Amino acid sequence: MDTTRFQDCIDACNACAAACDHCAASCLQEDDVKMMAGCIALDMDCSQLCRLAAGYMARGSRFARELCRLCAEVCAACAEECGKHDADHCQQCAAACRRCAEACRAMAA
Amino acid sequence: MDTTRFQDCIDACNACAAACDHCAASCLQEDDVKMMAGCIALDMDCSQLCRLAAGYMARGSRFARELCRLCAEVCAACAEECGKHDADHCQQCAAACRRCAEACRAMAA
Amino acid sequence: MDTTRFQDCIDACNACAAACDHCAASCLQEDDVKMMAGCIALDMDCSQLCRLAAGYMARGSRFARELCRLCAEVCAACAEECGKHDADHCQQCAAACRRCAEACRAMAA
Amino acid sequence: MDTTRFQDCIDACNACAAACDHCAASCLQEDDVKMMAGCIALDMDCSQLCRLAAGYMARGSRFARELCRLCAEVCAACAEECGKHDADHCQQCAAACRRCAEACRAMAA
């Protein structure tokens, strides 16, 4: 089994998952947490799905492509929401989500 | 937020995840493990996705439906593979996967 | 492999995970989200660990006991935090966490 | 919140999780799968726990240290089992597990 070609996407998923988890925890420490509610909710969805997708790819699962297709959607939604906020953790999360969405779309193609 | 209507599907996902995990571990203790390789691989995919779907539903995520749609596919594939084997753990897993596939399809509709 | 004796604890973990996820999402919709920040953070930790523990038990893992011991700690911390808030989702979550902590301690013993 | 100091350990966890997942899938394709049964079972435990630990660290969870302590134990057990087998995926997995065990022990200290 050759999973080397998955490595770029696995790396993007891991980076995105960590950025989302870091963003969620940082949002909870902001003064105006309420403004961040949508961001936190998507961070949770996105980090968990990215880690699942990383596992599917590492195992060479026959459902890896379909999982990446859905992961790209969730990443794009999270990037859009986080991109609205000026906080560094949000901007970094949005960037990681965009990169991951692109990598997952390439994988799913 | 009302997640009560998700409860049946969450229950089906949890039951399916446990059946898949139990089946995978039991397959590894069979005399002919090689014959079970496809079953074990799908058990892993299925149990992890079912648990993720349960979380999405419990949070009322806006991606819960799409996740359930994919979960139904993986459950159906796992049911088909496990259903080929006579071992009790495989037959029980196949049954749990079929129930979960049905519940997830209803959720995704 | 007999995982029947794990069933009660698996059920408690699944119920706790769903209650935590539901509580986290509901906290994010409260007027004063900031007051709920500690609750949301522990909900995330607790729901993810409960689902992991359920999988370890369903597979009859040799580390199931140790995972349950740690899960009991996180559940207890989450119960204590959620128990401070009057919202129904917090009180229900605290109750589910207490039950799960007890079941996990019994499993770890 | 500063999670930079966690980055090395998060990287080690992600690398270990991917190595374990790859090893499990590769073991299932070996001629003698039965010989690999213990390896596959520990790979599952280890990959899932490593991904959970990565999330706890990325969120700066107050239970990150305790999770890393347990993760180090599971990694060490997986390294010992995988290290017995000559297959490249097993040897690579054992190496990744040893590095992760070390990183997690440092984190837990």
Side-chain angles (χ1 to χ4, degrees):
Chain A
M1 192 181 59
D2 176 22
T3 55
T4 311
R5 65 196 171 101
F6 294 159
Q7 195 57 52
D8 284 352
C9 193
I10 291 174
D11 290 344
C13 281
N14 285 334
C16 185
C20 286
D21 272 321
H22 177 65
C23 182
S26 301
C27 282
L28 288 174
Q29 300 189 348
E30 293 283 341
D31 286 336
D32 188 352
V33 185
K34 191 167 186 55
M35 191 177 66
M36 305 314 222
C39 195
I40 296 166
L42 280 164
D43 283 340
M44 286 191 238
D45 284 356
C46 195
S47 70
Q48 294 183 21
L49 187 52
C50 283
R51 289 204 177 90
L52 193 79
Y56 270 57
M57 285 185 279
R59 290 194 302 274
S61 163
R62 66 158 143 140
F63 289 101
R65 273 184 176 69
E66 291 193 66
L67 209 69
C68 284
R69 188 172 299 124
L70 182 51
C71 193
E73 274 190 66
V74 176
C75 286
C78 193
E80 192 186 341
E81 180 61 31
C82 285
K84 294 176 188 170
H85 304 286
D86 291 331
D88 279 353
H89 54 80
C90 284
Q91 290 296 319
Q92 288 165 7
C93 184
C97 286
R98 279 189 293 265
R99 277 192 298 270
C100 191
E102 194 176 347
C104 282
R105 273 190 294 261
M107 181 57 53
Chain B
M1 193 182 58
D2 175 22
T3 56
T4 312
R5 64 196 172 103
F6 294 160
Q7 195 58 51
D8 285 352
C9 194
I10 291 174
D11 290 344
C13 282
N14 285 334
C16 185
C20 286
D21 272 321
H22 177 64
C23 182
S26 301
C27 282
L28 288 173
Q29 301 189 347
E30 293 283 341
D31 288 333
D32 187 353
V33 184
K34 193 166 183 57
M35 191 177 68
M36 306 313 222
C39 194
I40 296 167
L42 281 164
D43 283 339
M44 287 191 237
D45 284 357
C46 194
S47 71
Q48 293 183 21
L49 187 52
C50 282
R51 289 205 177 89
L52 193 80
Y56 270 57
M57 285 186 279
R59 291 195 301 274
S61 163
R62 64 157 143 142
F63 288 101
R65 272 184 177 68
E66 291 193 65
L67 209 69
C68 284
R69 189 173 299 124
L70 182 51
C71 194
E73 273 189 66
V74 176
C75 286
C78 194
E80 192 186 339
E81 180 61 30
C82 286
K84 293 176 188 170
H85 303 287
D86 290 333
D88 278 355
H89 54 81
C90 284
Q91 289 297 319
Q92 287 164 9
C93 183
C97 286
R98 279 190 292 265
R99 277 193 298 271
C100 190
E102 194 176 348
C104 282
R105 273 191 293 263
M107 181 58 53
Chain C
M1 192 182 57
D2 176 22
T3 55
T4 311
R5 65 197 171 101
F6 294 159
Q7 195 57 53
D8 283 353
C9 193
I10 291 175
D11 290 344
C13 282
N14 285 333
C16 185
C20 286
D21 272 321
H22 178 66
C23 182
S26 302
C27 283
L28 288 173
Q29 301 189 348
E30 293 284 341
D31 287 335
D32 187 353
V33 184
K34 193 168 185 54
M35 192 178 67
M36 305 313 221
C39 193
I40 295 167
L42 280 165
D43 282 339
M44 287 192 239
D45 284 356
C46 194
S47 70
Q48 293 183 22
L49 188 52
C50 283
R51 289 203 177 90
L52 194 80
Y56 269 56
M57 284 185 278
R59 289 195 301 275
S61 163
R62 67 160 143 139
F63 289 101
R65 271 184 177 68
E66 290 191 67
L67 210 69
C68 284
R69 188 173 299 125
L70 181 51
C71 194
E73 273 189 66
V74 177
C75 286
C78 193
E80 190 185 342
E81 179 62 31
C82 286
K84 294 176 189 168
H85 303 287
D86 291 333
D88 279 354
H89 54 81
C90 284
Q91 289 297 318
Q92 287 164 9
C93 184
C97 286
R98 280 188 293 263
R99 277 192 298 270
C100 191
E102 193 177 348
C104 282
R105 273 190 294 260
M107 180 59 52
Chain D
M1 194 182 54
D2 177 20
T3 57
T4 311
R5 66 196 170 103
F6 293 159
Q7 195 57 51
D8 285 352
C9 193
I10 290 174
D11 290 344
C13 282
N14 285 334
C16 185
C20 286
D21 272 322
H22 178 65
C23 183
S26 302
C27 283
L28 289 173
Q29 300 189 349
E30 293 284 342
D31 286 334
D32 187 353
V33 185
K34 193 167 184 57
M35 192 177 66
M36 306 313 221
C39 194
I40 296 167
L42 280 164
D43 283 339
M44 287 192 239
D45 284 357
C46 194
S47 70
Q48 294 183 22
L49 187 52
C50 282
R51 290 205 176 89
L52 193 80
Y56 270 56
M57 284 185 278
R59 290 194 300 274
S61 163
R62 66 158 141 140
F63 288 101
R65 272 183 176 69
E66 290 192 66
L67 210 67
C68 285
R69 188 172 300 125
L70 181 51
C71 194
E73 272 189 67
V74 176
C75 286
C78 193
E80 190 186 342
E81 178 61 31
C82 285
K84 294 176 190 171
H85 304 286
D86 291 333
D88 278 355
H89 54 81
C90 283
Q91 289 296 318
Q92 287 164 9
C93 184
C97 286
R98 280 189 291 263
R99 277 192 298 271
C100 191
E102 194 177 347
C104 282
R105 273 191 292 261
M107 180 60 52

